[in-house]
Amino acid sequence: TLAGSNLTPVRLQEVETLLTGKSLSTELFTQAGALAEKQASPISDYLGSETYRTAMASVLTQRALQQAFKAQK
């Protein structure tokens, strides 16, 4: 779920589908981040521009997946 980028939280079903049944890797996390960026529809406000929030959707998705992967080990 992506929150803080769109007006309401968004379930990233394309990202879920990409990750399901695959071996986790940095390359896969990069692909997931790119899909998250495509699904983000942020607004611009005083907290951040649309461009910034779109980029952060990718970055934060990748970070969350990497942290979850490390915690799993």
Side-chain angles (χ1 to χ4, degrees):
T1 303
L2 182 63
S5 137
N6 298 36
L7 292 174
T8 59
V10 175
R11 184 171 177 184
L12 302 176
Q13 293 179 336
E14 290 179 36
V15 174
E16 291 177 19
T17 300
L18 172 71
L19 297 172
T20 301
K22 303 239 174 64
S23 296
L24 302 179
S25 67
T26 302
E27 182 180 316
L28 185 62
F29 299 157
T30 301
Q31 292 172 1
L35 279 177
E37 189 172 331
K38 286 181 183 178
Q39 288 188 273
S41 299
I43 60 167
S44 290
D45 64 13
Y46 70 96
L47 296 173
S49 69
E50 177 183 350
T51 302
Y52 172 78
R53 289 176 185 230
T54 300
M56 290 309 296
S58 174
V59 170
L60 295 176
T61 297
Q62 290 178 62
R63 284 184 190 170
L65 291 169
Q66 289 169 350
Q67 288 177 357
F69 180 64
K70 287 178 185 177
Q72 181 185 26
K73 288 184 176 182

Short mmCIF file of all heavy atoms in Angstrom, two decimals:
data_model
loop_
_atom_site.label_atom_id
_atom_site.label_comp_id
_atom_site.label_asym_id
_atom_site.label_seq_id
_atom_site.Cartn_x
_atom_site.Cartn_y
_atom_site.Cartn_z
N THR A 1 0.85 -1.18 0.00
CA THR A 1 0.00 0.00 0.00
C THR A 1 0.89 1.23 0.00
O THR A 1 1.82 1.33 0.79
CB THR A 1 -0.91 0.00 1.23
OG1 THR A 1 -1.68 -1.18 1.24
CG2 THR A 1 -1.83 1.20 1.22
N LEU A 2 0.57 2.15 -0.86
CA LEU A 2 1.31 3.40 -0.97
C LEU A 2 0.49 4.50 -0.32
O LEU A 2 -0.65 4.74 -0.71
CB LEU A 2 1.56 3.72 -2.44
CG LEU A 2 2.37 4.95 -2.78
CD1 LEU A 2 3.79 4.82 -2.23
CD2 LEU A 2 2.40 5.15 -4.28
N ALA A 3 1.05 5.14 0.68
CA ALA A 3 0.35 6.23 1.38
C ALA A 3 1.22 7.47 1.37
O ALA A 3 2.44 7.38 1.29
CB ALA A 3 0.03 5.82 2.81
N GLY A 4 0.60 8.63 1.45
CA GLY A 4 1.34 9.87 1.50
C GLY A 4 1.71 10.42 0.14
O GLY A 4 2.26 11.50 0.03
N SER A 5 1.39 9.70 -0.89
CA SER A 5 1.69 10.17 -2.24
C SER A 5 0.39 10.55 -2.94
O SER A 5 0.31 11.57 -3.58
CB SER A 5 2.43 9.08 -2.99
OG SER A 5 1.98 8.91 -4.28
N ASN A 6 -0.61 9.75 -2.78
CA ASN A 6 -1.91 10.01 -3.37
C ASN A 6 -2.83 10.62 -2.31
O ASN A 6 -2.47 10.69 -1.15
CB ASN A 6 -2.51 8.71 -3.90
CG ASN A 6 -1.66 8.09 -4.98
OD1 ASN A 6 -0.45 8.16 -4.94
ND2 ASN A 6 -2.29 7.48 -5.95
N LEU A 7 -4.02 11.02 -2.72
CA LEU A 7 -4.96 11.58 -1.75
C LEU A 7 -5.40 10.53 -0.73
O LEU A 7 -5.65 10.85 0.42
CB LEU A 7 -6.18 12.15 -2.47
CG LEU A 7 -5.92 13.39 -3.32
CD1 LEU A 7 -7.17 13.78 -4.10
CD2 LEU A 7 -5.48 14.55 -2.44
N THR A 8 -5.48 9.29 -1.15
CA THR A 8 -5.81 8.18 -0.26
C THR A 8 -4.79 7.07 -0.49
O THR A 8 -4.15 7.01 -1.55
CB THR A 8 -7.22 7.62 -0.56
OG1 THR A 8 -7.27 7.18 -1.91
CG2 THR A 8 -8.29 8.68 -0.33
N PRO A 9 -4.61 6.17 0.48
CA PRO A 9 -3.69 5.05 0.26
C PRO A 9 -4.10 4.23 -0.96
O PRO A 9 -5.28 4.07 -1.24
CB PRO A 9 -3.81 4.23 1.54
CG PRO A 9 -4.28 5.21 2.57
CD PRO A 9 -5.17 6.16 1.82
N VAL A 10 -3.10 3.72 -1.68
CA VAL A 10 -3.34 2.96 -2.90
C VAL A 10 -2.68 1.59 -2.77
O VAL A 10 -1.51 1.50 -2.40
CB VAL A 10 -2.74 3.70 -4.12
CG1 VAL A 10 -2.88 2.88 -5.38
CG2 VAL A 10 -3.38 5.06 -4.30
N ARG A 11 -3.44 0.56 -3.06
CA ARG A 11 -2.88 -0.80 -3.08
C ARG A 11 -2.17 -0.98 -4.40
O ARG A 11 -2.76 -0.80 -5.47
CB ARG A 11 -3.99 -1.82 -2.92
CG ARG A 11 -3.45 -3.22 -2.83
CD ARG A 11 -4.52 -4.19 -2.45
NE ARG A 11 -3.98 -5.54 -2.44
CZ ARG A 11 -4.70 -6.61 -2.22
NH1 ARG A 11 -5.99 -6.48 -1.97
NH2 ARG A 11 -4.13 -7.80 -2.23
N LEU A 12 -0.91 -1.35 -4.34
CA LEU A 12 -0.08 -1.50 -5.54
C LEU A 12 -0.17 -2.94 -6.05
O LEU A 12 0.75 -3.74 -5.89
CB LEU A 12 1.36 -1.10 -5.23
CG LEU A 12 1.55 0.32 -4.70
CD1 LEU A 12 3.01 0.56 -4.35
CD2 LEU A 12 1.06 1.34 -5.72
N GLN A 13 -1.28 -3.25 -6.70
CA GLN A 13 -1.53 -4.63 -7.14
C GLN A 13 -0.54 -5.09 -8.20
O GLN A 13 -0.17 -6.26 -8.23
CB GLN A 13 -2.96 -4.77 -7.62
CG GLN A 13 -3.95 -4.60 -6.48
CD GLN A 13 -5.40 -4.72 -6.91
OE1 GLN A 13 -5.73 -4.49 -8.07
NE2 GLN A 13 -6.26 -5.06 -5.97
N GLU A 14 -0.08 -4.18 -9.06
CA GLU A 14 0.92 -4.57 -10.06
C GLU A 14 2.23 -4.95 -9.38
O GLU A 14 2.91 -5.89 -9.81
CB GLU A 14 1.14 -3.44 -11.04
CG GLU A 14 -0.03 -3.18 -11.97
CD GLU A 14 0.23 -2.03 -12.92
OE1 GLU A 14 1.37 -1.85 -13.37
OE2 GLU A 14 -0.73 -1.29 -13.21
N VAL A 15 2.58 -4.25 -8.32
CA VAL A 15 3.79 -4.57 -7.57
C VAL A 15 3.63 -5.92 -6.87
O VAL A 15 4.54 -6.76 -6.89
CB VAL A 15 4.13 -3.46 -6.55
CG1 VAL A 15 5.31 -3.86 -5.67
CG2 VAL A 15 4.42 -2.15 -7.27
N GLU A 16 2.47 -6.14 -6.27
CA GLU A 16 2.19 -7.43 -5.63
C GLU A 16 2.34 -8.58 -6.62
O GLU A 16 2.96 -9.60 -6.32
CB GLU A 16 0.78 -7.45 -5.04
CG GLU A 16 0.60 -6.53 -3.86
CD GLU A 16 -0.84 -6.52 -3.36
OE1 GLU A 16 -1.61 -7.45 -3.69
OE2 GLU A 16 -1.18 -5.57 -2.65
N THR A 17 1.77 -8.41 -7.79
CA THR A 17 1.83 -9.44 -8.83
C THR A 17 3.28 -9.70 -9.25
O THR A 17 3.69 -10.85 -9.41
CB THR A 17 0.98 -9.03 -10.05
OG1 THR A 17 -0.37 -8.85 -9.62
CG2 THR A 17 1.03 -10.07 -11.14
N LEU A 18 4.04 -8.63 -9.41
CA LEU A 18 5.44 -8.76 -9.79
C LEU A 18 6.22 -9.57 -8.76
O LEU A 18 7.03 -10.43 -9.11
CB LEU A 18 6.08 -7.38 -9.95
CG LEU A 18 7.60 -7.35 -10.17
CD1 LEU A 18 7.94 -7.87 -11.56
CD2 LEU A 18 8.14 -5.95 -9.97
N LEU A 19 5.98 -9.32 -7.48
CA LEU A 19 6.76 -9.95 -6.41
C LEU A 19 6.33 -11.38 -6.10
O LEU A 19 7.14 -12.18 -5.62
CB LEU A 19 6.65 -9.10 -5.14
CG LEU A 19 7.23 -7.70 -5.21
CD1 LEU A 19 6.88 -6.92 -3.96
CD2 LEU A 19 8.73 -7.74 -5.43
N THR A 20 5.09 -11.70 -6.38
CA THR A 20 4.55 -13.01 -6.00
C THR A 20 5.29 -14.16 -6.69
O THR A 20 5.39 -14.20 -7.92
CB THR A 20 3.04 -13.09 -6.33
OG1 THR A 20 2.38 -12.05 -5.61
CG2 THR A 20 2.46 -14.43 -5.92
N GLY A 21 5.80 -15.07 -5.87
CA GLY A 21 6.44 -16.27 -6.38
C GLY A 21 7.84 -16.09 -6.94
O GLY A 21 8.39 -17.02 -7.52
N LYS A 22 8.42 -14.92 -6.79
CA LYS A 22 9.75 -14.66 -7.34
C LYS A 22 10.81 -14.67 -6.24
O LYS A 22 10.52 -14.40 -5.08
CB LYS A 22 9.77 -13.29 -8.02
CG LYS A 22 8.73 -13.13 -9.12
CD LYS A 22 9.36 -12.82 -10.43
CE LYS A 22 8.39 -12.80 -11.58
NZ LYS A 22 7.37 -11.81 -11.54
N SER A 23 12.03 -14.98 -6.63
CA SER A 23 13.16 -14.86 -5.71
C SER A 23 13.48 -13.39 -5.54
O SER A 23 13.60 -12.65 -6.53
CB SER A 23 14.40 -15.58 -6.28
OG SER A 23 14.14 -16.95 -6.40
N LEU A 24 13.58 -12.96 -4.30
CA LEU A 24 13.82 -11.55 -4.03
C LEU A 24 15.25 -11.15 -4.38
O LEU A 24 16.19 -11.88 -4.09
CB LEU A 24 13.52 -11.25 -2.57
CG LEU A 24 12.09 -11.58 -2.12
CD1 LEU A 24 11.90 -11.26 -0.66
CD2 LEU A 24 11.07 -10.84 -2.97
N SER A 25 15.39 -9.99 -5.02
CA SER A 25 16.70 -9.49 -5.42
C SER A 25 16.64 -7.97 -5.57
O SER A 25 15.56 -7.40 -5.67
CB SER A 25 17.13 -10.11 -6.75
OG SER A 25 16.29 -9.64 -7.80
N THR A 26 17.79 -7.36 -5.62
CA THR A 26 17.86 -5.91 -5.82
C THR A 26 17.23 -5.52 -7.15
O THR A 26 16.52 -4.51 -7.24
CB THR A 26 19.33 -5.44 -5.77
OG1 THR A 26 19.88 -5.82 -4.50
CG2 THR A 26 19.43 -3.94 -5.91
N GLU A 27 17.45 -6.31 -8.18
CA GLU A 27 16.86 -6.03 -9.49
C GLU A 27 15.33 -6.06 -9.43
O GLU A 27 14.65 -5.19 -9.99
CB GLU A 27 17.35 -7.04 -10.53
CG GLU A 27 16.82 -6.79 -11.92
CD GLU A 27 17.32 -7.81 -12.93
OE1 GLU A 27 18.52 -8.12 -12.91
OE2 GLU A 27 16.50 -8.26 -13.74
N LEU A 28 14.79 -7.04 -8.72
CA LEU A 28 13.34 -7.14 -8.57
C LEU A 28 12.80 -5.94 -7.80
O LEU A 28 11.75 -5.40 -8.13
CB LEU A 28 12.97 -8.44 -7.87
CG LEU A 28 11.48 -8.75 -7.75
CD1 LEU A 28 10.84 -8.89 -9.12
CD2 LEU A 28 11.28 -10.02 -6.93
N PHE A 29 13.52 -5.50 -6.77
CA PHE A 29 13.10 -4.34 -5.99
C PHE A 29 13.11 -3.08 -6.85
O PHE A 29 12.24 -2.23 -6.71
CB PHE A 29 13.99 -4.15 -4.77
CG PHE A 29 13.98 -5.31 -3.80
CD1 PHE A 29 15.03 -5.51 -2.94
CD2 PHE A 29 12.93 -6.22 -3.76
CE1 PHE A 29 15.04 -6.56 -2.04
CE2 PHE A 29 12.92 -7.28 -2.87
CZ PHE A 29 13.98 -7.45 -2.00
N THR A 30 14.08 -2.97 -7.75
CA THR A 30 14.14 -1.82 -8.66
C THR A 30 12.92 -1.82 -9.59
O THR A 30 12.31 -0.78 -9.83
CB THR A 30 15.44 -1.85 -9.47
OG1 THR A 30 16.55 -1.81 -8.57
CG2 THR A 30 15.54 -0.68 -10.43
N GLN A 31 12.57 -2.98 -10.10
CA GLN A 31 11.39 -3.10 -10.95
C GLN A 31 10.12 -2.74 -10.18
O GLN A 31 9.23 -2.06 -10.70
CB GLN A 31 11.27 -4.51 -11.51
CG GLN A 31 12.35 -4.88 -12.49
CD GLN A 31 12.30 -6.36 -12.88
OE1 GLN A 31 11.44 -7.12 -12.42
NE2 GLN A 31 13.22 -6.77 -13.72
N ALA A 32 10.03 -3.19 -8.94
CA ALA A 32 8.87 -2.88 -8.10
C ALA A 32 8.78 -1.37 -7.85
O ALA A 32 7.68 -0.80 -7.88
CB ALA A 32 8.95 -3.64 -6.78
N GLY A 33 9.92 -0.74 -7.62
CA GLY A 33 9.94 0.70 -7.42
C GLY A 33 9.45 1.45 -8.65
O GLY A 33 8.70 2.43 -8.55
N ALA A 34 9.86 0.99 -9.82
CA ALA A 34 9.42 1.62 -11.07
C ALA A 34 7.91 1.49 -11.25
O ALA A 34 7.23 2.43 -11.67
CB ALA A 34 10.16 1.01 -12.26
N LEU A 35 7.36 0.33 -10.89
CA LEU A 35 5.90 0.14 -10.98
C LEU A 35 5.18 1.02 -9.98
O LEU A 35 4.13 1.59 -10.28
CB LEU A 35 5.54 -1.33 -10.75
CG LEU A 35 5.70 -2.27 -11.91
CD1 LEU A 35 5.37 -3.70 -11.48
CD2 LEU A 35 4.81 -1.86 -13.06
N ALA A 36 5.73 1.16 -8.78
CA ALA A 36 5.12 2.02 -7.76
C ALA A 36 5.09 3.47 -8.25
O ALA A 36 4.10 4.18 -8.06
CB ALA A 36 5.88 1.92 -6.45
N GLU A 37 6.17 3.88 -8.89
CA GLU A 37 6.24 5.24 -9.43
C GLU A 37 5.16 5.47 -10.49
O GLU A 37 4.53 6.52 -10.54
CB GLU A 37 7.63 5.49 -10.01
CG GLU A 37 7.89 6.91 -10.40
CD GLU A 37 9.34 7.15 -10.78
OE1 GLU A 37 10.24 6.46 -10.27
OE2 GLU A 37 9.55 8.05 -11.61
N LYS A 38 4.92 4.47 -11.33
CA LYS A 38 3.89 4.59 -12.36
C LYS A 38 2.50 4.67 -11.77
O LYS A 38 1.61 5.31 -12.32
CB LYS A 38 3.96 3.39 -13.32
CG LYS A 38 5.12 3.44 -14.27
CD LYS A 38 5.10 2.25 -15.20
CE LYS A 38 6.31 2.25 -16.11
NZ LYS A 38 6.32 1.08 -16.99
N GLN A 39 2.28 3.99 -10.63
CA GLN A 39 0.96 3.97 -10.02
C GLN A 39 0.70 5.18 -9.12
O GLN A 39 -0.45 5.41 -8.73
CB GLN A 39 0.77 2.68 -9.22
CG GLN A 39 0.60 1.46 -10.10
CD GLN A 39 0.22 0.25 -9.30
OE1 GLN A 39 1.08 -0.45 -8.80
NE2 GLN A 39 -1.08 0.01 -9.16
N ALA A 40 1.72 5.93 -8.80
CA ALA A 40 1.54 7.09 -7.93
C ALA A 40 0.86 8.22 -8.70
O ALA A 40 1.17 8.47 -9.86
CB ALA A 40 2.91 7.56 -7.41
N SER A 41 -0.08 8.85 -8.05
CA SER A 41 -0.78 10.01 -8.64
C SER A 41 -0.80 11.13 -7.60
O SER A 41 -1.86 11.52 -7.11
CB SER A 41 -2.21 9.64 -9.02
OG SER A 41 -2.23 8.62 -9.97
N PRO A 42 0.35 11.62 -7.23
CA PRO A 42 0.42 12.59 -6.12
C PRO A 42 -0.04 13.99 -6.52
O PRO A 42 -0.10 14.32 -7.70
CB PRO A 42 1.90 12.60 -5.77
CG PRO A 42 2.58 12.28 -7.04
CD PRO A 42 1.67 11.31 -7.75
N ILE A 43 -0.33 14.74 -5.50
CA ILE A 43 -0.63 16.15 -5.68
C ILE A 43 0.60 16.95 -5.25
O ILE A 43 1.46 16.44 -4.55
CB ILE A 43 -1.85 16.58 -4.84
CG1 ILE A 43 -1.57 16.34 -3.34
CG2 ILE A 43 -3.10 15.86 -5.29
CD1 ILE A 43 -2.56 16.99 -2.41
N SER A 44 0.69 18.17 -5.70
CA SER A 44 1.72 19.09 -5.21
C SER A 44 1.11 19.93 -4.10
O SER A 44 -0.04 20.38 -4.21
CB SER A 44 2.19 20.01 -6.33
OG SER A 44 2.94 19.30 -7.28
N ASP A 45 1.84 20.10 -3.02
CA ASP A 45 1.43 21.01 -1.97
C ASP A 45 2.68 21.52 -1.27
O ASP A 45 3.80 21.29 -1.74
CB ASP A 45 0.44 20.37 -1.00
CG ASP A 45 1.00 19.19 -0.21
OD1 ASP A 45 2.23 18.99 -0.21
OD2 ASP A 45 0.21 18.47 0.41
N TYR A 46 2.52 22.19 -0.15
CA TYR A 46 3.66 22.78 0.53
C TYR A 46 4.62 21.74 1.11
O TYR A 46 5.76 22.05 1.44
CB TYR A 46 3.19 23.75 1.63
CG TYR A 46 2.54 23.06 2.81
CD1 TYR A 46 3.28 22.75 3.94
CD2 TYR A 46 1.20 22.70 2.79
CE1 TYR A 46 2.69 22.11 5.02
CE2 TYR A 46 0.60 22.07 3.85
CZ TYR A 46 1.36 21.78 4.97
OH TYR A 46 0.78 21.15 6.03
N LEU A 47 4.19 20.48 1.19
CA LEU A 47 5.06 19.42 1.71
C LEU A 47 5.92 18.78 0.63
O LEU A 47 6.91 18.13 0.94
CB LEU A 47 4.21 18.34 2.39
CG LEU A 47 3.46 18.78 3.63
CD1 LEU A 47 2.54 17.67 4.11
CD2 LEU A 47 4.42 19.19 4.73
N GLY A 48 5.54 18.95 -0.62
CA GLY A 48 6.34 18.38 -1.70
C GLY A 48 5.64 18.48 -3.04
O GLY A 48 4.42 18.45 -3.12
N SER A 49 6.46 18.57 -4.07
CA SER A 49 5.91 18.67 -5.43
C SER A 49 5.48 17.29 -5.92
O SER A 49 5.87 16.25 -5.39
CB SER A 49 6.97 19.23 -6.38
OG SER A 49 8.01 18.29 -6.55
N GLU A 50 4.69 17.30 -6.97
CA GLU A 50 4.26 16.05 -7.61
C GLU A 50 5.47 15.25 -8.07
O GLU A 50 5.54 14.03 -7.89
CB GLU A 50 3.35 16.38 -8.79
CG GLU A 50 2.90 15.17 -9.56
CD GLU A 50 2.05 15.52 -10.78
OE1 GLU A 50 1.65 16.68 -10.93
OE2 GLU A 50 1.82 14.61 -11.58
N THR A 51 6.45 15.93 -8.65
CA THR A 51 7.66 15.26 -9.14
C THR A 51 8.41 14.58 -8.00
O THR A 51 8.83 13.43 -8.12
CB THR A 51 8.58 16.28 -9.85
OG1 THR A 51 7.85 16.88 -10.92
CG2 THR A 51 9.83 15.62 -10.39
N TYR A 52 8.56 15.30 -6.89
CA TYR A 52 9.27 14.74 -5.73
C TYR A 52 8.53 13.53 -5.18
O TYR A 52 9.13 12.48 -4.92
CB TYR A 52 9.43 15.82 -4.65
CG TYR A 52 9.98 15.28 -3.36
CD1 TYR A 52 11.34 15.01 -3.22
CD2 TYR A 52 9.15 15.03 -2.27
CE1 TYR A 52 11.86 14.50 -2.04
CE2 TYR A 52 9.66 14.52 -1.09
CZ TYR A 52 11.01 14.26 -0.98
OH TYR A 52 11.51 13.77 0.19
N ARG A 53 7.25 13.66 -4.99
CA ARG A 53 6.46 12.56 -4.41
C ARG A 53 6.43 11.34 -5.32
O ARG A 53 6.45 10.20 -4.85
CB ARG A 53 5.04 13.03 -4.11
CG ARG A 53 4.98 13.99 -2.95
CD ARG A 53 3.57 14.50 -2.77
NE ARG A 53 3.53 15.51 -1.74
CZ ARG A 53 2.67 15.49 -0.73
NH1 ARG A 53 1.79 14.54 -0.62
NH2 ARG A 53 2.70 16.46 0.16
N THR A 54 6.40 11.56 -6.62
CA THR A 54 6.44 10.44 -7.56
C THR A 54 7.76 9.70 -7.45
O THR A 54 7.79 8.46 -7.39
CB THR A 54 6.21 10.94 -9.00
OG1 THR A 54 4.94 11.58 -9.08
CG2 THR A 54 6.26 9.81 -10.00
N ALA A 55 8.85 10.43 -7.40
CA ALA A 55 10.17 9.81 -7.26
C ALA A 55 10.29 9.07 -5.92
O ALA A 55 10.85 7.97 -5.86
CB ALA A 55 11.26 10.86 -7.38
N MET A 56 9.73 9.65 -4.88
CA MET A 56 9.82 9.02 -3.56
C MET A 56 9.00 7.73 -3.49
O MET A 56 9.34 6.83 -2.73
CB MET A 56 9.37 10.00 -2.47
CG MET A 56 10.35 11.15 -2.26
SD MET A 56 12.07 10.63 -2.01
CE MET A 56 11.96 9.71 -0.51
N ALA A 57 7.95 7.62 -4.28
CA ALA A 57 7.18 6.37 -4.32
C ALA A 57 8.09 5.21 -4.72
O ALA A 57 8.05 4.13 -4.12
CB ALA A 57 6.01 6.49 -5.29
N SER A 58 8.96 5.45 -5.69
CA SER A 58 9.90 4.42 -6.13
C SER A 58 10.95 4.15 -5.05
O SER A 58 11.19 3.00 -4.67
CB SER A 58 10.59 4.86 -7.42
OG SER A 58 11.59 3.94 -7.77
N VAL A 59 11.56 5.20 -4.56
CA VAL A 59 12.64 5.07 -3.56
C VAL A 59 12.14 4.36 -2.30
O VAL A 59 12.78 3.43 -1.80
CB VAL A 59 13.22 6.46 -3.22
CG1 VAL A 59 14.17 6.39 -2.03
CG2 VAL A 59 13.92 7.06 -4.43
N LEU A 60 11.01 4.80 -1.78
CA LEU A 60 10.52 4.23 -0.53
C LEU A 60 10.01 2.81 -0.69
O LEU A 60 10.14 1.99 0.22
CB LEU A 60 9.45 5.14 0.08
CG LEU A 60 9.98 6.52 0.50
CD1 LEU A 60 8.84 7.40 0.99
CD2 LEU A 60 11.08 6.41 1.55
N THR A 61 9.47 2.48 -1.85
CA THR A 61 9.07 1.09 -2.11
C THR A 61 10.29 0.19 -2.11
O THR A 61 10.29 -0.87 -1.48
CB THR A 61 8.31 0.99 -3.46
OG1 THR A 61 7.12 1.76 -3.38
CG2 THR A 61 7.98 -0.45 -3.81
N GLN A 62 11.35 0.63 -2.78
CA GLN A 62 12.58 -0.16 -2.81
C GLN A 62 13.17 -0.33 -1.42
O GLN A 62 13.60 -1.42 -1.03
CB GLN A 62 13.60 0.49 -3.74
CG GLN A 62 13.20 0.42 -5.20
CD GLN A 62 14.19 1.12 -6.09
OE1 GLN A 62 15.35 0.73 -6.14
NE2 GLN A 62 13.74 2.16 -6.79
N ARG A 63 13.20 0.75 -0.65
CA ARG A 63 13.75 0.68 0.71
C ARG A 63 12.95 -0.27 1.59
O ARG A 63 13.51 -1.06 2.36
CB ARG A 63 13.76 2.06 1.35
CG ARG A 63 14.86 2.95 0.86
CD ARG A 63 14.86 4.25 1.62
NE ARG A 63 15.74 5.22 1.01
CZ ARG A 63 15.79 6.49 1.34
NH1 ARG A 63 15.00 6.97 2.29
NH2 ARG A 63 16.62 7.31 0.74
N ALA A 64 11.63 -0.19 1.50
CA ALA A 64 10.78 -1.06 2.32
C ALA A 64 11.02 -2.53 1.98
O ALA A 64 11.11 -3.37 2.87
CB ALA A 64 9.32 -0.68 2.13
N LEU A 65 11.12 -2.82 0.69
CA LEU A 65 11.36 -4.20 0.27
C LEU A 65 12.74 -4.69 0.72
O LEU A 65 12.88 -5.82 1.18
CB LEU A 65 11.22 -4.32 -1.25
CG LEU A 65 9.79 -4.16 -1.77
CD1 LEU A 65 9.80 -4.03 -3.29
CD2 LEU A 65 8.92 -5.31 -1.32
N GLN A 66 13.74 -3.83 0.62
CA GLN A 66 15.09 -4.21 1.07
C GLN A 66 15.12 -4.47 2.57
O GLN A 66 15.74 -5.44 3.03
CB GLN A 66 16.10 -3.13 0.68
CG GLN A 66 16.36 -3.07 -0.81
CD GLN A 66 17.15 -1.84 -1.22
OE1 GLN A 66 17.37 -0.92 -0.45
NE2 GLN A 66 17.56 -1.80 -2.49
N GLN A 67 14.45 -3.64 3.33
CA GLN A 67 14.41 -3.83 4.78
C GLN A 67 13.68 -5.11 5.15
O GLN A 67 14.11 -5.85 6.03
CB GLN A 67 13.77 -2.63 5.46
CG GLN A 67 14.65 -1.40 5.46
CD GLN A 67 13.97 -0.20 6.08
OE1 GLN A 67 12.81 -0.23 6.45
NE2 GLN A 67 14.69 0.90 6.17
N ALA A 68 12.57 -5.38 4.47
CA ALA A 68 11.82 -6.62 4.73
C ALA A 68 12.67 -7.84 4.37
O ALA A 68 12.67 -8.84 5.09
CB ALA A 68 10.53 -6.62 3.94
N PHE A 69 13.41 -7.76 3.28
CA PHE A 69 14.27 -8.85 2.84
C PHE A 69 15.38 -9.10 3.87
O PHE A 69 15.63 -10.25 4.24
CB PHE A 69 14.86 -8.52 1.49
CG PHE A 69 15.78 -9.57 0.93
CD1 PHE A 69 15.30 -10.83 0.62
CD2 PHE A 69 17.12 -9.30 0.72
CE1 PHE A 69 16.14 -11.81 0.10
CE2 PHE A 69 17.97 -10.28 0.21
CZ PHE A 69 17.48 -11.54 -0.11
N LYS A 70 16.00 -8.03 4.36
CA LYS A 70 17.06 -8.17 5.36
C LYS A 70 16.53 -8.75 6.65
O LYS A 70 17.18 -9.57 7.31
CB LYS A 70 17.73 -6.84 5.62
CG LYS A 70 18.62 -6.38 4.50
CD LYS A 70 19.22 -5.02 4.79
CE LYS A 70 20.00 -4.51 3.59
NZ LYS A 70 20.55 -3.16 3.83
N ALA A 71 15.33 -8.34 7.06
CA ALA A 71 14.72 -8.82 8.30
C ALA A 71 14.36 -10.30 8.20
O ALA A 71 14.34 -11.01 9.20
CB ALA A 71 13.48 -8.01 8.62
N GLN A 72 14.11 -10.77 6.99
CA GLN A 72 13.74 -12.16 6.76
C GLN A 72 14.92 -13.11 6.96
O GLN A 72 14.74 -14.25 7.30
CB GLN A 72 13.18 -12.30 5.34
CG GLN A 72 12.72 -13.67 4.97
CD GLN A 72 12.29 -13.75 3.52
OE1 GLN A 72 12.75 -12.98 2.68
NE2 GLN A 72 11.43 -14.69 3.21
N LYS A 73 16.12 -12.61 6.71
CA LYS A 73 17.32 -13.47 6.80
C LYS A 73 17.59 -13.93 8.20
O LYS A 73 17.37 -13.39 9.16
CB LYS A 73 18.54 -12.73 6.25
CG LYS A 73 18.51 -12.58 4.77
CD LYS A 73 19.79 -11.94 4.28
CE LYS A 73 19.82 -11.86 2.79
NZ LYS A 73 21.06 -11.29 2.30
#
